[in-house]
Amino acid sequence: MSDVRLAGVSVSYDGVRVVHELSIDVPSGEWLALIGPNGAGKTTVLRAIARLAHFEGVISIDGQDVLSMGARDVARRVALLLQEPQMPDSMSVSQYVLLGRSPHLGYLGKEGARDRRIVADVLARLSLDEFAARPLGHLSGGERQRAAIARALAQQAPVLLIDEPTTSLDVGRQQAVLELIDELRKEQGLTVIAAMHELTLAGQYADRLALMAAGRIVAVGPAAEILTEPVISEHYRANVRVVAMNGAGNAVVPVRG
C-alpha cells in the first residue's frame, strides 16, 4: 500500500505563502496529475511530499506522518524527479542510475547483484543500455532526462513524484517514458503524482487531474470533467479547443486569435 494524504498543507517561501491549505487523498496505485499555469504551486507540492520543503499541515504515506520518518525511510518510500536534477558530467549513466539504489544499500554502501540487475533492467526499458558507460556530460538533453527518470525508477519506491516527466523529450520518447511509468505502476502498484505541463498527455495517462491555481486546488476529477474549454480558458488564460480523439481521450489544441 502507498496511499498519500495531504491535509491542510501550506508552504511559504520568504514569508510569502505559495501553497494554501491544500488537502487531497491519493489512493494507492493511482496516477494523479497536478496541472495548472506556471507558478501555481505544483512543484512545491511535490517537494513538500518528499520533505524537501518545510510545510504546515499533515502529509502522510500509508497513514504515517512523513515528519515522523527518518530521511532513509522517506527515500525508501518516495522517489522524486525534479525538472533539473544535479547530474555530474563525469559520472557514467550506469553509475548515476545506481545512485537510485542508495536507500536500499547496507551499512557499507556496497551495491549487490540485485541492485545491478534492477539498474540494467531500467536502462534497457528506457533504451539507455547502449549509453551505460557514457558520461552524463556527453548526453543530449533528452538522453539526460531519460537517465534522470531511470534513477528515480531504479529507486523502486512505492510513491513516485515526477516534475514534468516529458521535458526535453521528442514525441516518441514522451510516449515511451509515460508508457513505462504506467506499466511499472500497474506491475508494482506504484502511486504516481506528476506535475504535468502537457494537458493532452495528462488527460491520457492520469486517473485524475488536480487543477492548481495560485497555490490552491480549484478542481479535481477525471480528464473529461477538468479538461474543458471554459476551465482551461479561465485558469490558463488560453483560447483552446478540446477535441475528442476517437476513444483515446481528448486533445487540447491552442487556437490562434
Side-chain angles (χ1 to χ4, degrees), residues 83-85 140-146 149 163-174 177 197-198:
Q83 281 194 62
E84 298 180 358
S140 69
E143 290 162 352
R144 288 170 68 90
Q145 176 70 357
R146 281 189 286 146
I149 292 170
D163 193 7
E164 305 293 358
T166 56
T167 298
S168 301
L169 300 181
D170 60 41
V171 173
R173 296 300 186 190
Q174 287 180 2
V177 164
H197 174 73
E198 296 287 346

Side-chain angles (χ1 to χ4, degrees), residues 35 197-203 209 223 226-229 232-233 236 238-245 249-255:
I35 63 171
H197 174 73
E198 296 287 346
L199 297 181
T200 299
L201 293 175
L209 309 183
I226 306 302
L227 297 183
T228 67
E229 292 168 9
I232 295 171
S233 175
Y236 283 85
N239 184 18
V240 301
R241 291 290 179 268
V242 177
V243 182
M245 297 189 295
N250 295 329
V252 179
V253 182
V255 177

Side-chain angles (χ1 to χ4, degrees), residues 11 39 55 91 120 126 185 229:
V11 181
F55 63 88
M91 183 176 286
L126 284 167
R185 176 176 72 102
E229 292 168 9

Side-chain angles (χ1 to χ4, degrees), residues 58-72:
V58 177
I59 298 176
S60 62
I61 299 173
D62 295 341
Q64 184 176 356
D65 191 328
V66 297
L67 294 180
S68 71
M69 300 179 191
R72 189 179 180 87

